[in-house]
Amino acid sequence: MEIRGSRRSLLLPVAVLLVLAALAGVLTLAARGRAERPRTAEPSRTAQVPGTTPAGPAPVDLAARVDGFTGDFAPGGPYTAPDAAQRRALADGVLGLLDGQTEQADRALARVGYRRTEFTEAVTGRRVAELADAAAESDRGWGRVYLDLSARSAWSVQVPHPVSDARTEALGVDVFRAAPGGVLVLAGAHRRAGADGSSDVAHRTDTVFAAVVEALAGRGVPGIQVHGFDEGSLPGQDAVVSPGAGQPGTAAELTATGLTRNGYAVCRAWREKCGQLGGTTNVEGRFAAGVGVPWLHVELGNGLRTEPARRAAVAGVLADTAVAWGPRP
């Protein structure tokens, strides 16, 4: 009896080991079969940080974009005067965007070969709309308009003489970047490109530039127009601030005071003689005065436009003035 019990106790572990070995063989064959089967395509799973969105188009450096646009401007360059219907269409495009009617704006722009492009501006991170000639090779010279989409349009900075008044185009970009809610209106040709002064948009009412600025002023949007002068024409002065044909108001004094605090000599045209730099014949200024909308004509010496640090200081002052106007009604 003791011998048979011993045999049973030995047979049980052996049986267990045989069962485990069989199971291991089955599992090994199954694993090998999975490895040898062809893989089916699976959806891509790209790691993404929670709360973020996939990357979109690269931000656009507005300063570089404007420099690329204005780089070929020169006296005697190409310019075609727009007719009344063309001027009206572009003004309607701007007003459509002010009202949030993008489809209406796009239709108006398309009638004259313009288009709206939106992008994120590299320095500010704000969304910007560009209204520009759709044909890259166009030589009409009608200009561009940039609108900050991050806030309601409340003020404009106007550049009537890019390149001709050196680096006023860069100053316009600096001001536009320095405060939200701005509209940058940029002439599309050198002031001496067109015959008989037809491209000098500060002194002609039959231009796209004038039509857009008048449309903005008609909606109560105040503006700052930037110009450049040779310091030799007004010795001892770095800048001239003027309300043009209008009344000075607080904006003119605020701007002049801000420039003075930065160490610049400022001629205040409403109470001093500033040569021929008061902007009283400027057509956009006259229109703004006629509708009672604040408007400033700012003349700047060469250093305040061409030296980046000084230009940035000026831009900060002008942006402070724009913000002080507050949101439009």
Side-chain angles (χ1 to χ4, degrees), residues 45-270:
R45 294 184 179 91
T46 303
Q48 185 174 315
V49 178
T52 65
T53 56
V60 171
D61 183 336
L62 183 58
R65 197 173 184 94
V66 167
D67 281 348
F69 172 59
T70 61
D72 293 333
F73 289 7
Y79 179 74
T80 302
D83 61 30
Q86 291 166 330
R87 298 195 301 269
R88 182 71 260 165
L90 285 163
D92 286 345
V94 173
L95 294 179
L97 286 184
L98 256 63
D99 295 337
Q101 303 293 328
T102 55
E103 291 184 3
Q104 175 182 321
D106 289 346
R107 285 195 298 269
L109 295 170
R111 291 202 301 269
V112 288
Y114 262 58
R115 68 180 169 200
R116 170 178 57 91
T117 302
E118 293 187 8
F119 54 81
T120 298
E121 206 284 311
V123 171
T124 63
R126 298 197 292 256
R127 290 294 292 173
V128 171
E130 175 190 76
L131 309 187
D133 207 316
E137 70 278 5
S138 174
D139 59 3
R140 294 185 293 185
W142 291 353
R144 292 183 178 182
V145 182
Y146 293 92
L147 298 94
D148 174 14
L149 301 178
S150 72
R152 190 181 187 199
S153 298
W155 54 274
S156 73
V157 56
Q158 306 157 16
V159 185
H161 300 144
V163 178
S164 174
D165 289 355
R167 301 309 285 157
T168 50
E169 64 277 10
L171 176 61
V173 171
D174 288 349
V175 177
F176 181 78
R177 283 172 166 171
V183 181
L184 169 59
V185 187
L186 180 66
H190 193 282
R191 69 182 300 178
R192 291 190 294 276
D196 301 321
S198 59
S199 62
D200 184 356
V201 299
H203 299 98
R204 298 283 296 234
T205 58
D206 57 347
T207 67
V208 165
F209 185 94
V212 169
V213 172
E214 289 176 8
L216 292 170
R219 289 294 182 86
V221 178
I224 301 172
Q225 193 168 115
V226 293
H227 293 258
F229 74 100
D230 181 351
E231 291 93 333
S233 63
L234 195 64
Q237 300 291 350
D238 297 308
V240 178
V241 177
S242 171
Q247 298 300 311
T250 58
E253 191 59 62
L254 178 66
T255 301
T257 300
L259 292 173
T260 300
R261 285 175 179 166
N262 276 273
Y264 306 133
V266 181
C267 186
R268 293 162 169 81
W270 62 96

